Every structure is written in C-alpha cells, then in structure tokens.
Amino acid sequence: MTSPEHQSPDPEPTKPTGSAAPQYQDRIYRSLAGIVGGVLLLAVIGWLGVDAVFAGEGRTPWLALAAMLFLVPLIVAYTLRPAVYVNDDRLRVRNPFRVIVLPWGQVASLRSGFTNEVFAESGAKYQLWALPVSLRARSKANRQEARAAAQAAREGGRGAGGAVEGPRRHESDRAMAEMRELHERRQGAEAAQGEATVRWAYEIAAPAVAGAVLLAVLLAVG
C-alpha cells in the first residue's frame, strides 16, 4: 500500500509569487506496509538488543551492539526510507541507498511490471522501492475491469443510463498512472529541464558496513 502525502520535505528554490504562480509542493508516495513492518522490526531488534547488552555476559553485549549497528540501518533503508517525491518540475526517488533526481524532461518513461521503474533519457533504469507491485491486486483489478466492460456492453444495447464504476486499482498502480499523466503534461516545460543527479546515501551505508565489519571481527576471534 502506498500513501500519497502533500508536503515539501526540502526547501525549494525561490519561486515566483502571485496568483499566477504554479504550485511547487511535493506529492509524496510511500509504502504504509513497509513503514509498519519497519517499525515492528526495529521494536523487536531494540528489545532483544538492549536486553542482550544489559543482561548478556562475555562477548554477548558486543555482539548485540554490532548486530544492531548492522541491522538497524538496513531496516531503515528498506522500510522507512523509500519514498517518491513528485512536483511539476521533477521526480525525486529516494531508494534504500540512493537519491535520484530526474527533471521531467530527463524522464523517458515510467513502466510497471514485476516492479515499478523509471527510465531516464540516458538509458539508466531506477526501481521505485516506495511503490511495490501487488500482482494479486493487479490481477483482481483486471478481472473487475473485464466484468465491468462486459456489463457496460450488455446495458449499452438497452440504453441504460449511468456509468459503470471502474475497478479499484492498487495504490501503486494509481500512483504510476498519476506520474505518467504529469510526465506527459510537463516533460516539455522549460522549468522541467535540467540534469539528472544521483547521490549515494552514505549516512545509511557507512554504519551498516561498520556494523558488518565489527560483527565479522567478533565472530572471527571467537
């Protein structure tokens, strides 16, 4: 499940003011299931780790500290961190270990398969971790759409009034549809041009690597 929000997490450059000024507030897509799962995992690791640190004997406290240093950043990276920020000018993808900023003019396409992905004009492909694909929900929506089309065809011959309500798509599919629409509308805009940038999340990778090294050393010295 994804959760679109309307807020701007980072300061934006100075924008024109006045009634005719466009809106630059970000729309944020995140996975609620991922956030809930991450919070639960962190709670379990915190409970077990703290207990091992204060009640453990010998090397157990050190092993617990190393394990927490290794696991906590990874859990945060894969559950709490992923998000997709969208506004009229660009798409910003926050994945577990990278932040990718793509002005709409640099986006070639947005595709959905077993994963949701964005393709840059350079040919680079980036997975949207914050928008997990639900094949079950997609299959259910396709069946509902087929039934709705068949019903509309039957009622159309009788001149029945009223539109048949369309299938309820999975949140990630709706998010992808909204982004495709915005991309088509804004890819040629002057404000949506620029260079694509990729930044590695060293604040996540560094403690995880340090924890892995410390854990390996402790296990090696036996």
Side-chain angles (χ1 to χ4, degrees):
M1 179 182 294
T2 58
S3 172
E5 307 169 16
H6 293 276
Q7 58 179 320
S8 180
D10 299 323
E12 293 285 351
T14 302
K15 304 293 182 181
T17 58
S19 59
Q23 297 297 316
Y24 289 89
Q25 195 173 43
D26 282 357
R27 183 167 193 179
I28 306 174
Y29 298 97
R30 306 185 72 179
S31 171
L32 288 180
I35 293 173
V36 172
V39 170
L40 291 176
L41 284 174
L42 289 174
V44 171
I45 289 178
W47 173 50
L48 295 176
V50 170
D51 181 69
V53 168
F54 289 99
E57 299 178 355
R59 295 187 309 128
T60 300
W62 292 104
L63 287 170
L65 285 173
M68 286 193 293
L69 184 60
F70 171 61
L71 292 175
V72 168
L74 293 181
I75 293 173
V76 171
Y78 285 100
T79 61
L80 305 183
R81 177 178 168 81
V84 176
Y85 302 87
V86 178
N87 64 25
D88 284 348
D89 293 344
R90 55 101 178 103
L91 171 70
R92 185 162 70 96
V93 182
R94 193 172 71 185
N95 280 343
F97 297 104
R98 292 189 297 181
V99 176
I100 303 101
V101 178
L102 293 168
W104 288 119
Q106 289 293 326
V107 175
S109 63
L110 292 138
R111 304 179 192 175
S112 298
F114 292 105
T115 60
N116 289 314
E117 300 163 338
V118 57
F119 287 77
E121 291 288 350
S122 63
K125 178 179 72 173
Y126 305 103
Q127 184 176 343
L128 305 180
W129 282 83
L131 298 174
V133 169
S134 173
L135 297 178
R136 179 181 179 184
R138 184 178 294 170
S139 177
K140 180 179 179 181
N142 289 338
R143 291 195 300 270
Q144 291 176 342
E145 185 175 7
R147 288 196 296 267
Q151 180 181 352
R154 290 194 302 269
E155 295 180 350
R158 300 193 297 268
V164 178
E165 184 178 355
R168 178 177 176 82
R169 291 181 294 175
H170 189 259
E171 286 82 355
S172 64
D173 290 334
R174 291 204 301 270
M176 292 294 288
E178 291 172 0
M179 287 189 288
R180 289 190 190 100
E181 180 183 355
L182 185 57
H183 171 233
E184 292 175 1
R185 190 170 70 245
R186 294 290 299 171
Q187 61 181 331
E190 182 179 356
Q193 308 306 310
E195 296 295 326
T197 61
V198 178
R199 181 183 68 84
W200 288 93
Y202 296 107
E203 67 276 12
I204 296 291
V209 171
V213 171
L214 179 58
L215 187 61
V217 170
L218 290 172
L219 292 174
V221 299

